[in-house]
């Protein structure tokens, strides 16, 4: 699993295990008493002082995107216990990519490349993979030392922490486990299908695959549709028994990490299906997200049955092909669709 970022109009992939989290560029940063290539200053992230490095400058690229509109990717080298705030144009989404589909390249007369030594193709364009170990080997690169209170890798860290994709859907804030995500999908039309009944809104076509899409409000016991939408953004999850299932989403906000024991309890009055949530994550500004229990969700009978209907329109197109991904931060809102939804009160 990779995080796909935009750096100066180029796509760069970072292994999700090396992404601690992604946050908007802070309103203010502190200058440091040192002048290093690409160093912008430092931000205070909870209890950590995090140096911020312009990724475009580090790679010899340029960008016209104002700092206030950029995103900070907190990159971690867990073995060295080093952290760095890598400033990029935007976090574009998550990609599940088969390692066998990577290409390799080098430059005559040069040593290993920071980005591009390995790559893969996405929609006819080459996506360079960032080498995290080389990143932390860069001369004069500032970094923060990971404290014991900090988290380690995203998906299943040694301290029991897990990574989640924070989303929005009307007034509902779902947090999907990164380990279950196949792809984040931008606004796409919903197709007519005999599956369109109950919690299923129809199907969407994604890279040659026909995926059933569910009404997230209804499935999670938070209300439902007054009418089926004509289009929707979605998060597609991999079912353990095979196939894919998508969940309708309005917005993608970013990535966080947390431990299950740090989550708040879910009051039963919030949802008719509180059993599908591990707890509530509260961010720094007090916004609440319902953290989805991926194991329980993907065992739901309706999810299992619908995932088994996944149709691959192009036999040569695997489920793990690099997907089109929606902008996650700054954040992106997908509101241009017809169909009204009602959240439970």
């Amino acid at each position: 699993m990779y995080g796909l970022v935009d750096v100066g109009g180029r796509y760069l992939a970072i292994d999700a295990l090396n992404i601690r989290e992604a946050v908007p560029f802070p309103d203010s940063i502190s200058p440091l008493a040192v002048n290093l290539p690409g160093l912008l200053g430092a931000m205070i992230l909870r209890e950590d002082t995090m140096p911020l490095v312009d990724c475009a400058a580090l790679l010899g690229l340029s960008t016209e995107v104002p700092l206030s509109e950029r995103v900070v990717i907190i990159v971690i080298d867990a073995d060295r216990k080093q952290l760095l705030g890598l400033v990029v144009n935007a976090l574009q989404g998550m990609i599940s990519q088969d390692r066998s589909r990577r290409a390799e390249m080098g430059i005559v007369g040069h040593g290993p490349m920071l980005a591009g030594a390995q790559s893969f193709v996405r929609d006819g364009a080459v996506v360079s993979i960032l080498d995290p170990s080389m990143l932390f080997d860069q001369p004069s690169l500032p970094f923060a030392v990971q404290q014991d209170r900090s988290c380690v890798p995203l998906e299943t860290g040694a301290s029991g922490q897990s990574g989640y994709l924070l989303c929005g859907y009307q007034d509902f804030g779902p947090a999907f486990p990164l380990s279950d995500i196949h792809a984040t999908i931008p606004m796409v039309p919903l197709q007519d299908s005999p599956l369109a009944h109950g919690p299923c809104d129809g199907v969407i076509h994604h890279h040659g695959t026909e995926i059933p899409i569910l009404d997230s409000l209804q499935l999670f016991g938070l209300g439902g549709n007054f009418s089926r939408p004509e289009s929707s953004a979605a998060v597609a999850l991999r079912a353990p028994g095979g196939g894919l299932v998508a969940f309708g989403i309005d917005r993608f906000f970013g990535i966080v990490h947390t431990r299950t024991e740090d989550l708040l309890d879910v009051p039963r009055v919030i949802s008719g299906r509180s059993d599908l949530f591990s707890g509530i994550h509260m961010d720094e500004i007090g916004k609440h997200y319902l953290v989805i229990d991926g194991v329980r969700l993907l065992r739901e009978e309706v999810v299992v049955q619908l995932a088994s209907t996944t149709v691959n329109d192009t036999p040569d197109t695997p489920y793990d092909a690099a997907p089109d991904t929606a902008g996650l931060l700054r954040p992106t809102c997908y509101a241009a669709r017809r169909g009204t939804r009602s959240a439970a009160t």
Side-chain angles (χ1 to χ4, degrees):
M1 178 71 71
Y2 294 94
L4 183 69
V5 301
D6 178 350
V7 180
R10 282 83 163 176
Y11 284 124
L12 189 68
I14 306 174
D15 194 316
L17 291 176
N18 292 106
I19 301 177
R20 195 182 85 165
E21 59 191 295
V23 297
F25 194 87
D27 293 334
S28 63
I29 62 176
S30 301
L32 296 178
V34 61
N35 185 18
L36 298 173
L39 179 62
L40 300 173
M43 67 181 290
I44 305 299
L45 183 61
R46 293 182 291 278
E47 299 178 68
D48 293 320
T49 298
M50 196 69 58
L52 301 179
V53 175
D54 187 338
C55 187
L58 198 63
L59 296 174
L61 305 174
S62 61
T63 177
E64 296 181 358
V65 177
L67 285 175
S68 60
E69 297 181 9
R70 295 198 223 174
V71 175
V72 180
I73 308 295
I74 306 301
V75 182
I76 181 171
D77 185 322
D79 293 333
R80 305 183 197 185
K81 296 188 176 182
Q82 295 176 351
L83 299 164
L84 169 67
L86 205 58
V87 180
V88 301
N89 286 15
L91 174 60
Q92 294 290 341
M94 304 303 297
I95 290 178
S96 178
Q97 178 64 31
D98 188 342
R99 291 178 180 270
S100 67
R101 294 177 175 270
R102 291 180 181 176
E104 297 186 3
M105 66 174 290
I107 301 176
V108 175
H110 289 260
M113 301 165 62
L114 174 59
Q118 293 188 329
S119 62
F120 56 85
V121 176
R122 170 186 178 270
D123 291 342
V126 174
V127 178
S128 298
I129 299 175
L130 180 76
D131 186 334
S133 61
M134 282 204 61
L135 173 65
F136 286 97
D137 280 340
Q138 295 298 299
S140 302
L141 183 81
F143 61 85
V145 177
Q146 179 188 355
Q147 304 300 317
D148 291 340
R149 62 178 178 271
S150 301
C151 121
V152 290
L154 256 182
E155 296 193 38
T156 51
S159 60
Q161 301 188 6
S162 299
Y164 298 94
L165 178 64
L166 302 182
C167 304
Y169 197 52
Q170 297 292 322
D171 295 327
F172 169 39
F176 290 90
L178 285 183
S179 56
D180 295 320
I181 294 176
H182 169 74
T184 52
I185 303 173
M187 182 69 71
V188 291
L190 270 64
Q191 306 296 322
D192 292 332
S193 170
L195 298 175
H197 66 275
C200 183
D201 280 339
V203 298
I204 55 178
H205 291 281
H206 180 66
H207 282 269
T209 303
E210 190 176 272
I211 307 172
I213 182 170
L214 301 181
D215 171 10
S216 297
L217 293 178
Q218 183 175 342
L219 185 69
F220 292 114
L222 296 164
N225 294 337
F226 285 131
S227 60
R228 299 192 188 281
E230 294 181 357
S231 58
S232 180
V235 174
L237 304 186
R238 297 181 296 269
L244 304 169
V245 64
F247 296 84
I249 291 298
D250 288 329
R251 298 171 298 282
F252 303 100
F253 291 110
I255 297 170
V256 298
H257 63 278
T258 187
R259 298 179 301 177
T260 301
E261 55 264 37
D262 293 334
L263 300 175
L264 305 175
D265 292 335
V266 180
R268 292 186 178 275
V269 296
I270 288 182
S271 164
R273 292 301 312 273
S274 58
D275 58 305
L276 294 179
F277 303 107
S278 301
I280 295 175
H281 168 73
M282 184 171 65
D283 67 12
E284 292 85 352
I285 63 173
K287 182 174 176 60
H288 292 76
Y289 295 89
L290 287 168
V291 176
I292 294 166
D293 185 326
V295 173
R296 290 187 177 182
L297 173 63
L298 295 174
R299 287 178 180 171
E300 282 287 296
E301 183 177 358
V302 65
V303 173
V304 172
Q305 291 182 357
L306 287 172
S308 68
T309 68
T310 303
V311 176
N312 194 350
D313 297 333
T314 307
D316 293 333
T317 303
Y319 290 145
D320 59 7
D324 277 331
T325 50
L328 296 184
L329 288 173
R330 292 175 294 265
T332 297
C333 176
Y334 299 102
R337 71 170 189 276
R338 297 179 185 176
T340 304
R341 298 182 182 271
S342 174
T345 57

